[in-house]
Amino acid sequence: MAVPSLEEISAQLDSPNLRDRMVALASLRDIPAEDAVPLIKKVLDDESLQLRSMAIFALGIKQTSECYSILVKILETDPDYGIRADAAGALGYLGDGRAFEPLSRAFYEDTDWLVRFSAAVSLGNLKDTRARELLYQALDSEEVVLQQAAIAALGEIKDIDAVDRVLRFAQSDDWLVRQRLAETLGQLPTPKSVSALKYLEKDSHENVAEAARISLKRLEEAGYQA
């Protein structure tokens, strides 16, 4: 099947039919970022939240110099919390160190947990150690998903000092939290990590036990043994 031209995609993005616009946006996946981003921008204010969400995700993948400022503006000003969360997630994909500040602000100031969750995940994706204190605070959140995001992100930024703080989650009632912990400990080589992983290896939930086994193997292959 012939790849549509930029002109055809542009025309299709103006279609009154949502499905046409979605197909057009999806067809940009094989188009170079410099050509794709101007077309993605056409639907950033679309009436369809689903299409806007797709467009924001696309900006995180099709990276040009203007994507960062567009995503920050959406994160800071959009009235829809789902769209703000999408922008926070896309900033993590960009991997631009400048995103640390707006993502931190979103975590502290946004009133919606989904945006804060997305910001915490993206701070992990940035692998910026400045996120430590923020992520420590997220561990104390009443929202279990924020605890999960923080545990995972602390592993991403390789914060060895976090081991003592996250070990309490080995007793969590939520198996997903225990699984995140098992995955994270595989990135934090300490004797306590190995001990906790051996404990989690016997977890009643198979996903947790499997994650612990994989992490123990990972530490062993990295040459770390307690």
Side-chain angles (χ1 to χ4, degrees):
M1 199 169 87
V3 176
S5 69
L6 293 177
E7 290 75 18
E8 287 168 328
I9 296 172
S10 182
Q12 202 174 356
L13 287 168
D14 290 327
S15 167
N17 183 306
L18 173 59
R19 187 175 178 284
D20 286 346
R21 301 198 301 279
M22 292 183 88
V23 168
L25 187 61
S27 68
L28 290 172
R29 76 165 61 91
D30 297 321
I31 303 292
E34 289 70 23
D35 295 326
V37 168
L39 295 176
I40 294 167
K41 285 163 65 179
K42 290 184 69 166
V43 290
L44 281 174
D45 295 315
D46 198 89
E47 63 191 28
S48 162
L49 285 177
Q50 187 181 1
L51 189 67
R52 292 187 67 205
S53 181
M54 283 174 62
I56 290 165
F57 177 76
L59 287 180
I61 305 300
K62 298 287 184 185
Q63 304 177 4
T64 70
S65 57
E66 63 179 329
C67 292
Y68 171 77
S69 54
I70 294 170
L71 290 170
V72 169
K73 185 178 179 192
I74 294 169
L75 173 62
E76 293 180 343
T77 63
D78 203 274
D80 186 275
Y81 71 86
I83 294 296
R84 296 197 304 278
D86 288 334
L91 281 167
Y93 280 113
L94 278 187
D96 188 323
R98 291 176 297 169
F100 173 77
E101 298 293 347
L103 287 171
S104 298
R105 273 199 305 277
F107 178 82
Y108 285 121
E109 296 171 12
D110 205 283
T111 54
D112 194 274
W113 69 264
L114 185 62
V115 181
R116 300 179 73 219
F117 167 80
S118 197
V121 171
S122 282
L123 284 166
N125 290 339
L126 291 181
K127 297 180 171 45
D128 191 324
T129 54
R130 289 178 296 169
R132 284 175 55 179
E133 294 304 322
L134 176 155
L135 295 170
Y136 290 166
Q137 285 191 33
L139 290 176
D140 295 326
S141 168
E142 291 176 9
E143 297 283 355
V144 174
V145 289
L146 278 179
Q147 295 172 357
Q148 289 177 22
I151 292 167
L154 286 164
E156 291 281 353
I157 68 172
K158 306 281 193 289
D159 182 23
I160 294 287
D161 294 337
V163 172
D164 285 334
R165 293 171 185 263
V166 298
L167 286 182
R168 62 187 153 117
F169 293 100
Q171 311 289 342
S172 172
D173 293 335
D174 189 314
W175 69 267
L176 273 170
V177 171
R178 302 196 306 276
Q179 183 181 346
R180 289 287 168 276
L181 175 63
E183 292 163 353
T184 285
L185 290 173
Q187 302 178 78
L188 305 174
T190 74
K192 286 182 179 177
S193 301
V194 174
S195 299
L197 285 168
K198 285 178 176 171
Y199 171 79
L200 290 166
E201 202 178 13
K202 302 178 181 73
D203 196 274
S204 58
H205 199 289
E206 179 52 33
N207 290 28
V208 180
E210 178 63 14
R213 282 193 290 274
I214 291 169
S215 282
L216 280 168
K217 192 162 185 288
R218 183 176 183 174
L219 290 177
E220 198 178 306
E221 286 171 354
Y224 187 87
Q225 292 178 322

